[in-house]
Amino acid sequence: MQVSANDMQICYGDYIAVDDMHITIQKSKITTIIGPNGSGKSTVLKGLTRLLKPKRGSVYLDSKEITTFSPKELAKRLGVLPQKHSAPPDFKVRELVGYGRMPHQKWFSQHSKEDEIIIDWALRVTNTWELQNKSIHECSGGEAQRVWLALVLAQQPEILFLDEPTTYLDIAHQMDTMNLIKRFNRKSGIGVVMVLHDLSHAMQVSDWVVVMKDGRKYDEGPPEDVITCKMMREVYQVDCQIIEIEGREKPLLAYREL
């Protein structure tokens, strides 16, 4: 399975936010979209998941235009976790995660035994099992982010789209979230597409990186080929040093303004 965009242009009124975008997302890989603020990262994510309609170009799920899928059909294939999300204050964690099963249910039907098994799995894989009877509003920021991930995983999508999943989290919870995403990608084969600001996280967990600059794709490829000192100067306007650390699978970045 793959999601692809050909010559995608997305506008906000007269402003062209993304232009001439060609991209292919492969299932089972972790693809990360990076770039400065305002470069079009989140807009690309929304265009690929039908949250925004391109002014020009097409988006395909396999060989079929994404506009031809019903909402339920699309939700079975693609899961989307936006930057901001909310739930009624009296919602318990398990109840919230259960909403991820809606694309697989008939109208007004109760959770089946299979639904309950999948909800159990989503709670366990995200380490939220112990939180299931807790109100979502009683959860810490890191706990709540894992709960929302569990909800989207309960959809059992083939590709999961995450818009800045570490926003508002402290360093420990950022690392925990990144490790969690990599773990369920490797174990379950669910593809992941993320928008990230932290380039060290992008280097550590990504199989493929797409760099955005001024609404266009600057480069793409394996992180070690794309996140370079040259790219950092041209895209982020910072001087960069890539540091190898013994015992660490991939290097870290150290950078300063030019």
Side-chain angles (χ1 to χ4, degrees), residues 31-100:
T31 300
T32 301
I33 305 173
I34 63 172
N37 289 339
S39 60
K41 303 183 298 297
S42 294
T43 301
V44 169
L45 200 77
K46 291 173 182 176
L48 291 172
T49 55
R50 210 170 66 181
L51 294 177
L52 286 175
K53 183 179 179 180
K55 185 173 182 179
R56 188 187 69 229
S58 300
V59 179
Y60 295 90
L61 178 50
D62 290 330
S63 59
K64 188 176 177 181
E65 282 206 46
I66 202 168
T67 54
T68 64
F69 288 83
S70 72
K72 287 189 73 170
E73 286 176 327
L74 194 61
K76 291 177 183 179
R77 307 290 298 279
L78 308 181
V80 184
L81 186 62
Q83 286 186 41
K84 297 179 180 179
H85 25 65
S86 60
D90 58 342
F91 263 41
K92 302 295 185 184
V93 165
R94 187 179 184 89
E95 182 182 6
L96 183 61
V97 173
Y99 273 82

Side-chain angles (χ1 to χ4, degrees), residues 147-159:
V147 171
W148 288 105
L149 278 171
L151 184 156
V152 183
L153 286 175
Q155 287 179 223
Q156 291 201 303
E158 295 180 64
I159 302 180

